[in-house]
Amino acid sequence: MTLIQHIELGSAQANITLSSIPQTYTDLYLLFSGRVSVTDGGLRLRVNGSTANLSTRLLYGNGSSATSATDTTYIGTVSDSNTTANTFGNGSLYFPNYASSTAKSFSGEIVHENNATSAVQWVTAGLYNSSTAITSLELFNAGSGNFVQYSSATLYGILKGTSNGVTVS
Amino acid sequence: MSYIPLATVTLASNSTSVTFSSIPGIFKDVVLVGNWQNSSTSSAGRLQVNSDTGSNYNGVWMTGTGSSAGSGSEASQTSARIAGASVGPDNAYTNMVTITFLDYAATDKHKTILSRFGTANRETQATASRWASTSAITSIRFFDILGQTFQAGATFSLYGVA
């Protein structure tokens, strides 16, 4: 597991983009911490600079109810301008076989909380239906807001391999 | 935190199961990542550890189909629930799962197994399972209890978390 890129915003910004992703790993693991400047905390994904060829299936729970939905680029919500100051939503996206020439599945998870009165969890299954390898990932707000200062994202590359005598059959 | 690659298989032909064996107890956790298609959408991925076929698996899960959400539980099962409605070999979609075995090498506690499963055209699911044994986990078998096969090209990797 190798750190590819870490971004922490020095000032508010409309998106967080991890680009020029090398094709030398097996999987990608993206961790992020975000808060947006508007009341809509929705988070969307752009792959290789485009929102095309993406689909998601979401499961949402808030402690009292659960719902499920489908979308194209939506992956959940992070903390927004109505939530407790200085709190951030935290999440991850995992892309196996991101450099393959077949469609790429991915999974995601996000959690955030508001002043001890509510908490939210999102679990997402996604597909990037393209034969093009993933070279960039971009997170942006569904409500056209900005990520606030100190929002961050960290991208890791994960290699396959064999070590320590483990066998697979 | 770092993922140490322990073993990976890319299936050369369809297979009824994948088994990781001789897992050393030198890591904090281990994580299994799978990406596959099934021989049929009528499928249900489950796992057993240490070849234990006893009634030692308990779990809860929540699932979303895109139009409805649900939750359930099971107790004293002979395997742990991991994957729900999945995709067959007839389209672009693939199933994906990450399974984390927490404190897998501990000998003083039952083992917690957390999984996240999904395919973007059918279902997303999260499960938490308990293997009722204090034995360290040294092998993991992932299979489809409805008898479907994992299709050629499927990839399964095991990582140690240090």
Side-chain angles (χ1 to χ4, degrees), chain A residues 129-149:
Chain A
N129 192 2
S130 170
S131 60
T132 305
I134 294 174
T135 58
S136 74
L137 297 169
E138 177 184 338
L139 301 172
F140 65 101
N141 178 230
S144 301
N146 285 332
F147 287 105
V148 304
Q149 185 182 26

Side-chain angles (χ1 to χ4, degrees), chain A residues 1 14 35 48 51 56 64 85 93 106 131 157 169:
Chain A
M1 185 174 185
R35 179 183 177 89
N48 292 352
T51 57
T56 60
S64 60
L93 292 170
F106 61 92
S131 60
S169 58

Side-chain angles (χ1 to χ4, degrees), chain A residues 1-2 26-27 29 31 55-61 65-71 94-97 100 102-109 121-129 156-169, chain B residues 1-10 15 17-24 26-27 33-35 62-70 92-96 98 116-126 153 155-159:
Chain A
M1 185 174 185
T2 303
T26 310
D27 301 345
Y29 188 30
L31 300 174
S55 58
T56 60
R57 195 156 294 236
L58 304 120
L59 173 61
Y60 162 88
S65 65
T67 59
S68 184
T70 60
D71 200 88
Y94 195 102
F95 300 83
N97 303 311
S100 77
T102 60
K104 269 73 75 177
S105 293
F106 61 92
S107 69
E109 188 165 357
Q121 180 177 16
W122 293 87
V123 180
T124 303
L127 181 76
Y128 178 50
N129 192 2
Y156 294 95
I158 296 176
L159 282 170
K160 65 181 181 181
T162 299
S163 63
N164 292 287
V166 176
T167 60
V168 57
S169 58
Chain B
M1 181 184 75
S2 186
Y3 281 22
I4 310 300
L6 300 179
T8 294
V9 62
T10 301
S15 177
S17 68
V18 173
T19 302
F20 294 89
S21 305
S22 303
I23 302 169
I26 59 176
F27 301 101
V33 178
N35 188 201
M62 57 182 182
T63 181
T65 64
S67 58
S68 65
Y93 293 88
T94 57
N95 309 300
M96 190 206 151
T98 59
R116 298 289 183 270
F117 163 80
T119 183
N121 71 335
R122 291 185 66 86
E123 182 180 24
T124 183
Q125 179 175 266
T155 61
F156 295 91
S157 296
L158 187 70
Y159 297 95

Side-chain angles (χ1 to χ4, degrees), chain B residues 29-60:
Chain B
D29 309 321
V30 290
V31 176
L32 193 163
V33 178
N35 188 201
W36 77 99
Q37 290 181 321
N38 273 317
S39 53
S40 167
T41 56
S42 178
S43 55
R46 301 184 70 93
L47 68 77
Q48 294 169 331
V49 296
N50 291 9
S51 303
D52 182 8
T53 58
S55 301
N56 296 315
Y57 302 86
N58 311 273
V60 297

Side-chain angles (χ1 to χ4, degrees), chain B residues 57-137:
Chain B
Y57 302 86
N58 311 273
V60 297
W61 66 85
M62 57 182 182
T63 181
T65 64
S67 58
S68 65
S71 180
S73 64
E74 61 184 14
S76 302
Q77 298 297 300
T78 57
S79 60
R81 174 178 170 138
I82 297 296
S86 57
V87 293
D90 54 351
N91 58 44
Y93 293 88
T94 57
N95 309 300
M96 190 206 151
V97 72
T98 59
I99 312 169
T100 303
F101 302 79
L102 300 157
D103 273 348
Y104 74 101
T107 56
D108 57 359
K109 65 175 71 169
H110 291 181
K111 307 304 180 297
T112 297
I113 302 166
L114 302 177
S115 75
R116 298 289 183 270
F117 163 80
T119 183
N121 71 335
R122 291 185 66 86
E123 182 180 24
T124 183
Q125 179 175 266
T127 68
S129 301
R130 175 176 63 92
W131 180 47
S133 171
T134 58
S135 298
I137 293 174

